[in-house]
Amino acid sequence: MPEITAAFQITRWDQTPADNPADGPVAGPALARAQVDKTYTGDLAGTSVAHLVMAGEIAYSAVERVTGRLGGRTGTFVLAHGAVTGSGPADFSPGVVVPGTGTGELAGLTGTVEFRHDDAGARVVLRYELAPSE
């Protein structure tokens, strides 16, 4: 299964509260929604729009549509991923390429995805399979 690593940059972060203040005081972390736009460079080149649901800075769950070039092919696909921080560094759970979401030359794409944020910067590791091109 091929594996690529690509850098990414967040180009937009629009966040809104998800808790309803009319419901009274909120206990625990505030819930929020965010739309996050990214630009990927390297072995995955393109852009994406992710929709996140967050519990403060403790956890998030995301669905992200990527448009670009992977393995010399162009198209779109959807990632599902998330993380939980607990009391230490974020534990980014491996995410997946959502089956059946590949379009164009990326139709049939499957795989797993991991996001990493450390001294080397923000990057994504994608392990994937593509149907042979016709």
Side-chain angles (χ1 to χ4, degrees), residues 47-58:
T47 59
S48 74
V49 176
H51 293 272
L52 283 67
V53 177
M54 300 166 294
E57 294 185 11
I58 299 170

Side-chain angles (χ1 to χ4, degrees), residues 23-43:
D23 292 339
V26 176
L31 300 181
R33 296 180 192 92
Q35 179 175 323
V36 179
D37 296 353
K38 298 176 188 171
T39 299
Y40 288 95
T41 56
D43 294 329

